[in-house]
Amino acid sequence: MARARKTRMPARATVVLAACLLASCSPYVYKQEIGAFNDGVTAIIASYESGRKSVGDAIAQDQQQAFISGRVKLDLLDGCDQVDPSGTPPRLPPCAVTKFPATKPPVQPPIETTLANAAPDFDALRNYAAALSAITNASDDAQLTAATQSLISSVDGLTTAAASLSSAPAPPQSVINASGSIIGRLVAVYLDTRRYDVLRNTVPAADTSIRTISQTVKAALLAIRAQQLLRLEKEMHAAEAPLQSDSVSKLSAAEYQSDLAILQAKVVMFNQLRAIDPQVAVGALVDAHHKLAQALQNDTRQAQPVYVATVNFLNAAAQLQSAVVSVSASSRPAGRGK
C-alpha cells in the first residue's frame, strides 16, 4: 500500500492564512461603504457651494435692481485700483460698486457672512472623506503611507474645526496620532489588513468632531434652502402675474405657452426643494460615520449596518444636491421679457 505523502504548508501560505485569521474576513469589506460616504460628502459639498453661489447671485441681483430703481449715483471702491496684494499677510483690498461717494465697502448681508464662516468646516469634511477614500484605494505600500499621512492631517483639521465650535474636550491627541505608528509597521502583512488598522485608529477618533461640525453644515444648508425658497416664492408669483392679467386672453398661443411653461417650471423647483430637508441628509451623514466608527472600534467586521447607513446618506445627499443645484442653475426670468 502506498504511503500517503506528507505535505508541508509553504511559509508564504502560512502568512496568508495568519492574515486571514487575523482579519476574520477581508478588512477591505468597508471599501464600498467608504466610497458611498465620500460620494455623499461630495454631494453635500456641491449643495453648499452651488447654494452659496445662488444666494450671492440673488443678493447681487437685488442690489443691482435697487440701483436701477433709484437711479443712484455710483462709485468704485479705492481697492479697484490695486492689482497686487499688500500687507501681512498679503491681501487684496475689496473692489465693489457702491453708492457715491465710496467711503467703505457695502455691508455684507448676514446670510453671506454665515455661509462664508461655514466654509472651513465644509473644507475639513471634504478633506477627511477624500482621505478615507484614499486609504481604501491605496494599491501599494507607498500609496498607503501617503494616504495615511493625509488622513492624519485631515483628522487634525476636523478636530481644529470642531474645537472652534464647541467647548467640549477634543479627542486625545495620542488617539488621533496613533494611526501614525501604522506607518512602517506590518510590512509582512497584507495591504488590506494595514488599511483596516489605519481606519480603526482614526475613524473612531474623528467621530465626535464629525458630529460637532455637522451643526455648522446643517445650519448653512438650512439657510441656503430658506433663501432659495424665498426667491422661488417671489419668482412664482411674478411668473403668475401675466396669466392673471385681464388681457391674458389677448396673448398669442405661443406667448401663453411660454408664460405657462415658466410658471410650471418654478412650481416644480419649489416643490422639489420644499420636499427636501437638509437636516435629514446631515443626520444621515452623522449616522453613517458613527456606524462605521462603531464597527471599527468594536472590531465587529459587520458590513451590513454600515452599508445601509452609508447608502441612506448617499441617497439623501444626492436628493439634496439635485434640488439645490436645480434652483441654483435656474436663471430664467419669471415671465416673458418685456
Side-chain angles (χ1 to χ4, degrees):
M1 181 176 179
R3 186 178 180 181
R5 186 172 58 183
K6 185 177 180 180
T7 58
R8 296 184 61 187
M9 182 179 291
R12 179 176 175 79
T14 304
V15 173
V16 173
L17 178 60
C20 291
L21 290 174
L22 175 66
S24 298
C25 61
S26 173
Y28 220 39
V29 70
Y30 296 122
K31 178 179 172 65
Q32 63 179 349
E33 288 79 9
I34 288 175
F37 181 80
N38 184 46
D39 289 344
V41 168
T42 299
I44 290 288
I45 300 297
S47 299
Y48 164 73
E49 292 178 340
S50 178
R52 181 182 175 186
K53 183 179 184 302
S54 75
V55 169
D57 289 346
I59 290 171
Q61 290 169 10
D62 288 343
Q63 181 62 74
Q64 183 184 59
Q65 190 57 49
F67 288 157
I68 294 171
S69 298
R71 308 294 199 275
V72 297
K73 191 175 181 180
L74 299 176
D75 200 1
L76 291 172
L77 296 176
D78 291 343
C80 294
D81 294 321
Q82 185 171 333
V83 296
D84 296 316
S86 62
T88 305
R91 293 178 181 174
L92 284 168
C95 173
V97 178
T98 187
K99 291 182 179 180
F100 183 89
T103 56
K104 58 183 179 181
V107 176
Q108 187 177 45
I111 179 64
E112 286 194 311
T113 302
T114 297
L115 296 181
N117 290 342
D121 292 341
F122 281 92
D123 287 341
L125 183 61
R126 184 207 321 261
N127 293 339
Y128 174 67
L132 284 181
S133 184
I135 291 290
T136 65
N137 288 315
S139 60
D140 57 38
D141 187 75
Q143 287 185 9
L144 181 57
T145 297
T148 301
Q149 292 170 333
S150 294
L151 181 58
I152 295 169
S153 177
S154 71
V155 171
D156 183 59
L158 276 178
T159 305
T160 300
S164 67
L165 300 170
S166 172
S167 58
Q173 196 64 34
S174 59
V175 174
I176 296 173
N177 287 340
S179 56
S181 65
I182 299 298
I183 302 174
R185 287 176 48 223
L186 303 173
V187 176
V189 182
Y190 276 97
L191 202 60
D192 54 356
T193 301
R194 291 188 59 202
R195 290 189 191 97
Y196 185 84
D197 268 352
V198 174
L199 295 173
R200 188 174 55 187
N201 277 277
T202 51
V203 173
D207 199 43
T208 299
S209 297
I210 289 288
R211 186 178 299 275
T212 299
I213 71 168
S214 71
Q215 298 305 308
T216 300
V217 171
K218 178 174 66 177
L221 294 174
L222 283 171
I224 287 170
R225 177 180 180 270
Q227 290 294 311
Q228 288 190 325
L229 284 173
L230 181 62
R231 169 69 55 172
L232 279 174
E233 190 175 5
K234 291 179 180 178
E235 291 180 355
M236 278 194 304
H237 288 293
E240 175 191 42
L243 298 172
Q244 287 189 329
S245 171
D246 292 338
S247 61
V248 65
S249 61
K250 298 179 181 179
L251 294 175
S252 68
E255 289 173 330
Y256 189 95
Q257 183 180 20
S258 174
D259 285 344
L260 178 59
I262 291 171
L263 176 59
Q264 289 175 326
K266 297 294 182 184
V267 171
V268 168
M269 283 189 290
F270 181 79
N271 283 330
Q272 183 185 13
L273 185 60
R274 189 174 56 166
I276 295 298
D277 185 357
Q279 296 180 95
V280 173
V282 177
L285 183 160
V286 173
D287 182 60
H289 189 273
H290 187 61
K291 289 285 198 310
L292 176 61
Q294 279 186 319
L296 288 164
Q297 191 168 40
N298 298 335
D299 205 17
T300 61
R301 314 297 173 101
Q302 296 300 310
Q304 184 63 21
V306 182
Y307 176 78
V308 171
T310 52
V311 168
N312 287 341
F313 166 48
L314 178 57
N315 288 337
Q319 290 172 1
L320 175 66
Q321 179 187 6
S322 177
V324 172
V325 171
S326 293
V327 176
S328 302
S330 174
S331 58
R332 193 173 186 180
R336 288 176 290 109
K338 293 181 172 59

